[in-house]
Amino acid sequence: MNTFLDNYFKLTENKTTVRKELTAGLIIFFTMSYILIVNPKILSETGMDQEALFTTTALATIFATLMMGLLAKLPIAQAPGMGLNSFFAYSVVLGMGYSWQFALTAVFIEGIIFIILTFFNIRELIVKSIPKVLKDAIPVGIGLFITLIGLKGAGIIVSDPNTLLRMGDFSQHSVWIALLGLVITAVLFARNINGAILIGIVISTIFGFIMGDVTLPQKSLIGIPPSIEPIFGKAIEPMLSFSGWKQILSMDMLIVVFTFLFVNLFDTVGTLIGVVSKIGLADEEGNFPQIKKALFADALGTTVGAILGTSTITSYVESASGVASGGRTGLTAVGTALMFALALFIAPLFLLVPAAATAPALIIVGLFMISSVVKINFEDMTEGLPAFLTIVFMPFTYSIAEGIVFGMLSFTLLKLFSGRKQEVTTTVYIVSFLFLVKIILDAMHLI
């Protein structure tokens, strides 16, 4: 078995082991398992069955992550995207007044379009067209972004109506759970102890139990997952009637699909570039051989996820926590998928881990990801400013996609008006134009 896994995932070639890969997969699961709670809660606001959504969220995550692991062979997990599920629920359904079935159809159409774009190498062309300076900046922005997620999840940083952010309340146990975990994890790394992040999560969880913030479940740990029948297959129902096609061919559907396409494309691209750059698979231009397969796995995940009954699937930035702990191949993603499969039946056990216990992992990963900042030439304004905007927009707008948008737009405009238009490719001009259209539609409140 180990020989088969070694040959298929090229473990020896990537200087890793089955144990290291599965441990990395477990860490990724812990850092993103919140999706099993948050996604059903958000989407149920539309009237969808919350229990069915729990099962669907897990199944869609398992399928999409397996596709990334087995097809693209990358240590990246996929699940219903945060932000995309909010747009689904609060904008399309509760805001625009459409049914959740309509929204699922939009996600399904998006997935089909992504499959077509990937087949014809259009998505790969877009990824390769991103300027190298932005490919160096994207991991830095993601590092700050996931650090902010970790600090916020632990309550170390909280929102403030006057200053936007401020220091949290140190009387809260979550703050001390996270700080203890951070120190322990950092010390373990300094001592070159394998599994430092996982050990930190376990010790933080135990400390949380001692502090009374983690309670053992009262009911049985094992149970059959709820049925997905109330939401399964609803995405394709409108295609079976004349009135359904009337909605599908409407301007509202076009705008909704465009928004799903836009956000998912650049969230996925940003995560892929950020995580892969830390594995060492990218070339000098920041490209890597598995681009097409990775994007195809994403497109398949979104399409199947819509049929199962959930919002758009995207690659998860928390995957960087697995890479930081030694994950190098698709076996890491397979390990994460296996954990989600177990969670279907023993969810109470896996969901014991509090957000404060996973916060140190995200903060440490944020530290590792900012290292590429030294590759950026900040003395050249036409490169330094786009890189800087890419970096700061990700945490400040809470969106990887927005960081890429403003980084790419500023890169194009600065090169164009500085007399260096030859440094901008035709694809970058086209993508920048589409970004501008998206911003204008946003300003007109059309999306």
Side-chain angles (χ1 to χ4, degrees):
M1 184 63 175
N2 279 3
T3 303
F4 169 76
L5 293 176
D6 194 352
N7 292 335
Y8 188 81
F9 292 107
K10 296 181 172 57
L11 301 180
T12 303
E13 183 180 319
N14 285 283
K15 299 177 181 178
T16 185
T17 63
V18 172
R19 179 180 177 182
K20 191 179 290 186
E21 293 290 298
L22 294 181
T23 299
L26 179 61
I27 289 169
I28 294 174
F29 169 80
F30 279 132
T31 59
M32 63 177 284
S33 59
Y34 64 85
I35 197 64
L36 291 172
I37 301 172
V38 178
N39 194 57
K41 192 171 294 184
I42 290 174
L43 296 187
S44 66
E45 296 287 332
T46 67
M48 299 175 76
D49 186 278
Q50 187 167 346
E51 290 191 353
L53 280 166
F54 170 83
T55 305
T56 284
T57 299
L59 290 176
T61 300
I62 292 165
F63 173 80
T65 302
L66 280 176
M67 286 298 97
M68 186 64 79
L70 297 175
L71 187 63
K73 299 180 183 178
L74 290 173
I76 296 175
Q78 299 192 103
M82 292 297 295
L84 288 161
N85 50 15
S86 295
F87 177 75
F88 180 107
Y90 302 120
S91 295
V92 179
V93 179
L94 300 179
M96 298 172 71
Y98 282 102
S99 67
W100 55 264
Q101 291 91 337
F102 173 93
L104 282 177
T105 302
V107 174
F108 179 74
I109 293 172
E110 175 212 350
I112 296 298
I113 293 173
F114 266 161
I115 290 175
I116 295 170
L117 293 178
T118 304
F119 180 78
F120 288 103
N121 297 326
I122 296 174
R123 291 181 77 191
E124 185 177 351
L125 180 66
I126 293 172
V127 175
K128 288 184 175 180
S129 73
I130 296 175
K132 184 181 183 301
V133 64
L134 299 188
K135 287 179 177 175
D136 288 333
I138 285 169
V140 183
I142 290 176
L144 295 178
F145 180 41
I146 61 177
T147 298
L148 179 61
I149 292 173
L151 293 172
K152 181 174 176 288
I156 297 173
I157 288 178
V158 296
S159 61
D160 186 278
N162 299 313
T163 61
L164 296 181
L165 296 174
R166 63 176 174 82
M167 187 67 75
D169 183 358
F170 273 67
S171 67
Q172 297 296 312
H173 294 169
S174 62
V175 173
W176 294 103
I177 293 171
L179 291 177
L180 174 69
L182 182 60
V183 171
I184 290 173
T185 305
V187 169
L188 292 174
F189 265 111
R191 290 179 170 271
N192 297 315
I193 295 176
N194 293 329
I197 290 179
L198 180 58
I199 294 171
I201 290 173
V202 171
I203 293 176
S204 296
T205 301
I206 293 172
F207 183 60
F209 175 74
I210 295 171
M211 299 287 283
D213 283 35
V214 175
T215 55
L216 297 176
Q218 300 300 312
K219 56 184 180 180
S220 173
L221 293 177
I222 304 174
I224 302 297
S227 169
I228 64 171
E229 191 275 332
I231 56 178
F232 177 75
K234 303 301 180 182
I236 59 176
E237 280 188 358
M239 299 180 176
L240 305 178
S241 66
F242 176 76
S243 60
W245 274 103
K246 199 172 179 181
Q247 282 192 338
I248 290 171
L249 298 175
S250 68
M251 180 58 71
D252 280 342
M253 178 63 83
L254 177 63
I255 291 170
V256 170
V257 170
F258 174 78
T259 303
F260 277 137
L261 277 168
F262 172 84
V263 177
N264 187 24
L265 171 60
F266 291 99
D267 260 359
T268 297
V269 166
T271 300
L272 287 174
I273 292 173
V275 175
V276 170
S277 68
K278 293 302 169 186
I279 306 174
L281 295 177
D283 60 23
E284 290 182 0
E285 294 300 315
N287 300 316
F288 54 98
Q290 303 98 321
I291 289 177
K292 185 170 184 177
K293 290 180 179 179
L295 295 174
F296 191 62
D298 169 70
L300 281 176
T302 291
T303 306
V304 172
I307 295 172
L308 289 170
T310 189
S311 53
T312 304
I313 301 294
T314 189
S315 297
Y316 260 61
V317 69
E318 284 86 351
S319 303
S321 63
V323 171
S325 62
R328 291 293 178 271
T329 75
L331 185 56
T332 292
V334 172
T336 301
L338 290 175
M339 291 304 105
F340 273 100
L342 283 174
L344 269 172
F345 302 96
I346 50 176
L349 179 62
F350 283 108
L351 297 178
L352 280 177
V353 181
T358 60
L362 298 178
I363 296 168
I364 290 289
V365 171
L367 166 65
F368 293 151
M369 296 201 71
I370 66 170
S371 61
S372 60
V373 73
V374 298
K375 301 177 183 178
I376 301 169
N377 179 15
F378 286 105
E379 292 184 5
D380 181 348
M381 184 60 72
T382 65
E383 304 237 330
L385 182 60
F388 180 69
L389 292 180
T390 300
I391 292 168
V392 298
F393 266 70
M394 287 186 187
F396 292 161
T397 64
Y398 221 71
S399 168
I400 294 171
E402 297 295 353
I404 296 175
V405 168
F406 286 94
M408 186 83 89
L409 267 176
S410 59
F411 178 87
T412 303
L413 293 173
L414 287 172
K415 293 291 186 183
L416 181 62
F417 293 114
S418 298
R420 297 164 63 177
K421 62 182 180 181
Q422 71 277 6
E423 297 179 31
V424 184
T425 64
T426 302
T427 306
V428 170
Y429 278 123
I430 294 171
V431 172
S432 296
F433 174 75
L434 292 175
F435 285 165
L436 200 56
V437 170
K438 194 265 181 185
I439 291 172
I440 292 170
L441 291 175
D442 230 344
M444 296 171 65
H445 302 292
L446 293 177
I447 57 177

